[in-house]
Amino acid sequence: MGNSELWKNCIGPISKLIEEAAFTFTPEGVGMKAMDPSRVALVNFELSADGFDSYDIEGKRILGMNLEEMSKFFSRAKKSDELIFSFQEGENRLVLTFKGTSIRKFTLPLIEIEEKELPEPELEFTASAKVLAGMIKDGLKDASLVTDKVRFELLDEYFLMTTESDTGSAEMKLPVGSEGLQELKVDEAARAMYNIGYLDDIINVASSNDIIEVHLGTDLPLQLDFSLAGGKGRLRFLLAPRIEAE
Amino acid sequence: MGNSELWKNCIGPISKLIEEAAFTFTPEGVGMKAMDPSRVALVNFELSADGFDSYDIEGKRILGMNLEEMSKFFSRAKKSDELIFSFQEGENRLVLTFKGTSIRKFTLPLIEIEEKELPEPELEFTASAKVLAGMIKDGLKDASLVTDKVRFELLDEYFLMTTESDTGSAEMKLPVGSEGLQELKVDEAARAMYNIGYLDDIINVASSNDIIEVHLGTDLPLQLDFSLAGGKGRLRFLLAPRIEAE
Amino acid sequence: MGNSELWKNCIGPISKLIEEAAFTFTPEGVGMKAMDPSRVALVNFELSADGFDSYDIEGKRILGMNLEEMSKFFSRAKKSDELIFSFQEGENRLVLTFKGTSIRKFTLPLIEIEEKELPEPELEFTASAKVLAGMIKDGLKDASLVTDKVRFELLDEYFLMTTESDTGSAEMKLPVGSEGLQELKVDEAARAMYNIGYLDDIINVASSNDIIEVHLGTDLPLQLDFSLAGGKGRLRFLLAPRIEAE
């Protein structure tokens, strides 16, 4: 009932940050919300029922999964494979079927996920942009040559990623009108610093030509929104800022 | 007098299993038969004289070779290189010449190979199949995510590779009629379990689109036959089964 | 004002051999000459002003750079990026700007380089050749399977790279007339042995289809000349010979 590439491309990067997560299947679709162990990053994944070729769930079912194990199996999907999720009442496992030239089946044991209160921060972002993922990937790799953190900045005319250290500095600038910056809305200029490591993991959800929505407020968490399945799903990523030592 | 790709693709994988082997050159062609050090796997390589562009051997000559060294040199062959084997009476070395834009020559010292009695098992296989190598590669990679052994099974309607452990299960199924399964003959359904490690090494002899002949009998060794040089040669691989703990 | 690929392809390999170097910018162009720490290899890089799209230097300016840091930034250049070097009087840093879809800026701190007397050997080479870089790359990889040194030899009819050890031998031969050997001038046949490690590092300046000028004299240093920017620049590499134990 699904799209093997979408799951492969999402669960792989998420599994680098988050070990275990609960997926909630309802007739409307599937959702997953989880934080990394250090509670610096929050991932919110949603895919509506019409993001699947066929979808047949009655009631609500919560499946606790080890994301690393799940990701290993998804990594074996081929582009042309049809992906089928299935689980039976009473059975303590998920069955993944990849239909291509051969029919391949994987089963994964379900796990108990302790319900944790996840923060639902109400964030007053003052600026947002739609940016080609490739530009952000460049900015992250550039910055990682200099240090382990990067500053995001949204100004009236620019999207900026900058960093500096004793060994030099790096700056990636997208001016309004660049094909890398498809939209820029700035009520108030915003800037904040973030860990590169978390961003490096999650950015791989997107291909270089995908558009990422960036939401920013000075010293607020960073919100990145990735559209999935042509708008039928969304991955939201929230990352706590680092305090800048000035 | 030879085909550099064929030797590169065969000796590389074989050298992962077997350190030293004796090649027997006769006017009819060349053969090599050897077991791995733990005597779990047997490799039998044959290439007839007409599998070479030209071939000129008088009498019988046995050349003991270190396969790892030999493989390092073959790995340097380019697709378009013409490969020439040569050895002189009285000289204790093999000369490999690769003719392309440049002329490259390697010499390898011959080694003494102790003659070992190799088992010539008479195996009563009850089922066989012709399978696309890519399907078996998939089945091995899938299974290796779960554990270190894989079950081969030939049934009336299917070729199956399966495995299971505490962390889940994997199954690769080719039904009759699939383009991945070109022939299936089952006198009696057969199944047996094998180590993935040995199979991973030897399967690289084949490209994904090559056809492999699989011969199976319940709890018997597995026999895989790879056709070489358009049928002018053959690599046979025999692998002892693992006892299944039930 | 420059060509990002040229700098990326030169500084990367050089930085494997030489940690720090001084670049001298004058109105005529830029030059750099440095030896590796063990003083076995000398690198001489020159690029004339017309090897840049635009070039605007007054007087003479010497910039000491950590080549490894510099190379990390150049490695981030894309083929289509326009590269701009800039430095201000009084500022102790170099600014590199890559202009593509985004505008990326890196700054590197300048460093003090101790002036060392560099040898200016007057070498009486007796033979020279113009060779496809790919042939030399092959010869180096072949030889490295056998041992850590390789003999260069220029004879009336051939360019040869050879080596031997207890585990075998390797030889790469280019006859006159081969497309891999574009010119051969031999006043006196010449041969000498060199460390493969240094050659492996520096050969990566060239693509396989580039032409390298080889200058050789028996037991003299090896001189390799790489043409840059269509002849507007040159990288010269001098490597001390190893004494052959006969």
Side-chain angles (χ1 to χ4, degrees):
Chain A
M1 62 184 185
N3 174 329
S4 64
E5 283 288 297
L6 182 155
W7 286 87
K8 179 179 179 171
N9 294 344
C10 281
I11 302 301
I14 295 173
S15 74
K16 302 273 176 79
L17 293 172
I18 294 167
E19 201 186 350
E20 303 182 340
F23 289 82
T24 304
F25 288 83
T26 66
E28 285 72 42
V30 56
M32 183 273 275
K33 193 155 91 172
M35 293 195 81
D36 79 295
S38 60
R39 299 180 76 81
V40 168
L42 184 144
V43 167
N44 192 340
F45 169 89
E46 287 173 6
L47 185 59
S48 71
D50 60 356
F52 296 84
D53 286 338
S54 74
Y55 188 90
D56 175 28
I57 304 275
E58 284 176 24
K60 178 177 172 179
R61 183 78 195 266
I62 298 176
L63 304 185
M65 309 290 295
N66 179 308
L67 294 187
E68 203 184 324
E69 292 296 322
M70 201 182 185
S71 163
K72 284 199 298 187
F73 293 139
F74 280 130
S75 75
R76 299 288 308 132
K78 298 176 199 296
K79 246 186 182 150
S80 55
D81 281 346
E82 183 190 343
L83 168 63
I84 301 163
F85 289 83
S86 52
F87 35 88
Q88 306 289 329
E89 280 303 324
E91 277 204 359
N92 210 19
R93 56 185 203 144
L94 172 70
V95 181
L96 297 175
T97 306
F98 298 165
K99 267 193 172 167
T101 306
S102 59
I103 301 153
R104 293 147 72 209
K105 260 187 202 156
F106 298 98
T107 64
L108 277 119
L110 300 183
I111 56 175
E112 291 286 320
I113 304 279
E114 205 189 327
E115 290 282 332
K116 287 183 199 150
E117 285 290 306
L118 290 183
E120 291 274 4
E122 290 275 338
L123 298 168
E124 307 242 326
F125 298 118
T126 64
S128 68
K130 292 187 178 169
V131 183
L132 270 188
M135 303 292 114
I136 296 182
K137 291 184 182 196
D138 276 344
L140 290 174
K141 278 194 202 132
D142 291 354
S144 71
L145 298 180
V146 173
T147 180
D148 64 347
K149 53 190 197 289
V150 63
R151 191 183 300 105
F152 280 72
E153 209 162 342
L154 290 176
L155 305 175
D156 283 341
E157 302 287 324
Y158 297 113
F159 171 62
L160 272 174
M161 290 171 70
T162 58
T163 195
E164 59 276 331
S165 79
D166 294 348
T167 63
S169 71
E171 173 188 295
M172 194 283 293
K173 181 159 84 171
L174 288 172
V176 168
S178 154
E179 60 167 312
L181 180 63
Q182 308 235 326
E183 193 180 292
L184 180 66
K185 286 185 192 163
V186 178
D187 289 337
E188 197 178 303
R191 55 183 266 170
M193 190 79 105
Y194 305 96
N195 269 329
I196 292 175
Y198 293 93
L199 289 161
D200 263 347
D201 287 335
I202 207 71
I203 198 72
N204 288 321
V205 167
S207 301
S208 290
N209 287 322
D210 289 345
I211 299 289
I212 299 180
E213 264 187 57
V214 179
H215 297 271
L216 203 66
T218 293
D219 292 336
L220 288 186
L222 173 69
Q223 179 177 307
L224 301 179
D225 287 340
F226 303 78
S227 177
L228 305 175
K232 287 164 188 160
R234 194 201 61 199
L235 181 73
R236 172 162 290 171
F237 176 68
L238 275 166
L239 180 63
R242 280 178 63 141
I243 303 309
E244 278 199 63
E246 297 280 340
Chain B
M1 62 184 187
N3 174 330
S4 64
E5 283 288 296
L6 181 156
W7 286 87
K8 179 180 181 170
N9 294 344
C10 280
I11 302 301
I14 295 173
S15 73
K16 302 275 177 77
L17 293 172
I18 294 168
E19 203 186 348
E20 303 182 340
F23 288 81
T24 304
F25 287 82
T26 66
E28 285 72 41
V30 56
M32 183 272 278
K33 192 154 91 172
M35 292 195 82
D36 79 295
S38 60
R39 299 180 75 81
V40 168
L42 183 144
V43 167
N44 192 341
F45 170 90
E46 287 172 6
L47 185 59
S48 71
D50 61 356
F52 295 84
D53 287 339
S54 75
Y55 187 89
D56 175 27
I57 304 273
E58 285 176 24
K60 178 176 173 179
R61 184 79 195 267
I62 298 176
L63 304 185
M65 308 291 295
N66 179 309
L67 294 187
E68 204 184 323
E69 294 295 322
M70 201 182 186
S71 163
K72 284 200 298 186
F73 293 139
F74 281 130
S75 76
R76 299 288 308 135
K78 296 177 200 296
K79 247 186 181 149
S80 55
D81 281 347
E82 183 191 343
L83 168 63
I84 302 164
F85 289 83
S86 53
F87 35 86
Q88 306 288 331
E89 279 304 323
E91 277 205 359
N92 209 18
R93 55 185 203 144
L94 172 69
V95 181
L96 297 175
T97 307
F98 298 164
K99 269 194 171 166
T101 305
S102 60
I103 301 153
R104 294 147 71 208
K105 260 186 201 155
F106 298 97
T107 63
L108 276 119
L110 300 183
I111 57 176
E112 291 286 321
I113 303 280
E114 203 189 329
E115 291 281 333
K116 285 182 201 149
E117 286 288 307
L118 290 183
E120 291 272 6
E122 291 273 339
L123 298 168
E124 307 242 326
F125 298 118
T126 65
S128 68
K130 292 187 179 170
V131 183
L132 270 187
M135 301 293 113
I136 296 182
K137 291 184 184 198
D138 276 344
L140 291 174
K141 279 195 201 131
D142 290 354
S144 71
L145 298 180
V146 174
T147 181
D148 64 347
K149 53 189 199 289
V150 63
R151 192 183 300 106
F152 280 71
E153 208 161 344
L154 290 176
L155 305 175
D156 283 340
E157 302 287 324
Y158 297 113
F159 170 63
L160 272 175
M161 291 172 70
T162 57
T163 196
E164 58 275 332
S165 79
D166 294 346
T167 63
S169 71
E171 174 188 294
M172 194 281 294
K173 180 159 86 171
L174 287 172
V176 167
S178 156
E179 60 167 310
L181 180 63
Q182 308 236 325
E183 193 180 291
L184 179 67
K185 287 186 190 163
V186 178
D187 290 338
E188 196 178 305
R191 54 183 267 170
M193 189 80 102
Y194 305 95
N195 269 330
I196 292 175
Y198 293 92
L199 290 161
D200 263 346
D201 287 336
I202 207 71
I203 197 73
N204 288 320
V205 167
S207 302
S208 289
N209 287 323
D210 289 346
I211 298 290
I212 298 180
E213 264 188 57
V214 179
H215 297 270
L216 201 67
T218 293
D219 292 335
L220 288 187
L222 173 69
Q223 179 177 306
L224 300 180
D225 287 340
F226 303 79
S227 177
L228 305 176
K232 289 163 186 161
R234 194 203 61 199
L235 181 74
R236 173 162 290 171
F237 176 69
L238 275 167
L239 180 64
R242 280 178 62 142
I243 302 308
E244 278 198 64
E246 297 278 339
Chain C
M1 62 186 187
N3 174 330
S4 64
E5 284 287 297
L6 182 156
W7 286 87
K8 180 179 178 170
N9 293 345
C10 280
I11 302 301
I14 296 173
S15 73
K16 301 275 177 78
L17 293 172
I18 294 168
E19 203 187 350
E20 302 182 341
F23 289 81
T24 303
F25 288 84
T26 66
E28 286 71 42
V30 56
M32 184 274 276
K33 192 154 92 173
M35 293 196 81
D36 79 295
S38 60
R39 299 180 76 80
V40 168
L42 183 144
V43 168
N44 191 341
F45 170 89
E46 287 173 7
L47 185 59
S48 72
D50 61 356
F52 296 83
D53 287 338
S54 75
Y55 188 88
D56 175 26
I57 305 273
E58 285 176 24
K60 178 176 172 180
R61 183 78 196 266
I62 298 176
L63 304 186
M65 308 292 295
N66 179 308
L67 294 186
E68 203 184 325
E69 293 295 321
M70 200 180 185
S71 162
K72 284 200 297 186
F73 292 138
F74 281 130
S75 76
R76 298 289 307 132
K78 296 177 201 296
K79 248 188 179 148
S80 55
D81 281 345
E82 183 190 344
L83 169 63
I84 302 163
F85 289 82
S86 51
F87 35 88
Q88 306 290 329
E89 280 304 325
E91 277 203 359
N92 209 19
R93 57 187 201 144
L94 172 70
V95 181
L96 298 174
T97 307
F98 298 164
K99 267 194 174 167
T101 306
S102 59
I103 302 153
R104 294 147 71 207
K105 262 186 199 155
F106 298 98
T107 64
L108 277 118
L110 300 183
I111 57 175
E112 291 286 320
I113 303 280
E114 206 189 328
E115 290 283 332
K116 287 182 198 149
E117 285 289 308
L118 291 183
E120 290 273 5
E122 290 274 338
L123 298 167
E124 307 241 327
F125 298 118
T126 64
S128 68
K130 292 187 179 170
V131 183
L132 269 188
M135 301 294 114
I136 297 182
K137 290 183 184 199
D138 276 344
L140 291 174
K141 277 194 202 131
D142 291 354
S144 71
L145 297 181
V146 173
T147 180
D148 64 347
K149 52 190 198 288
V150 63
R151 191 182 301 104
F152 280 71
E153 209 161 343
L154 290 177
L155 304 175
D156 283 340
E157 302 286 325
Y158 296 113
F159 171 64
L160 273 174
M161 290 171 71
T162 57
T163 195
E164 58 275 330
S165 80
D166 293 347
T167 63
S169 71
E171 174 189 294
M172 194 283 296
K173 180 158 85 170
L174 288 172
V176 168
S178 156
E179 60 166 313
L181 180 64
Q182 308 237 325
E183 193 180 292
L184 179 66
K185 287 186 191 162
V186 178
D187 291 338
E188 196 177 305
R191 55 183 266 170
M193 189 80 102
Y194 305 96
N195 268 329
I196 292 174
Y198 293 92
L199 290 162
D200 263 347
D201 287 335
I202 208 70
I203 197 72
N204 288 321
V205 167
S207 301
S208 290
N209 287 322
D210 290 345
I211 298 290
I212 299 180
E213 265 189 54
V214 179
H215 296 271
L216 202 66
T218 293
D219 291 335
L220 288 187
L222 173 69
Q223 178 176 305
L224 301 180
D225 287 340
F226 304 79
S227 176
L228 305 176
K232 288 164 188 162
R234 194 202 61 199
L235 181 74
R236 172 161 290 170
F237 176 69
L238 275 167
L239 181 64
R242 280 178 63 141
I243 303 309
E244 276 199 64
E246 297 279 340

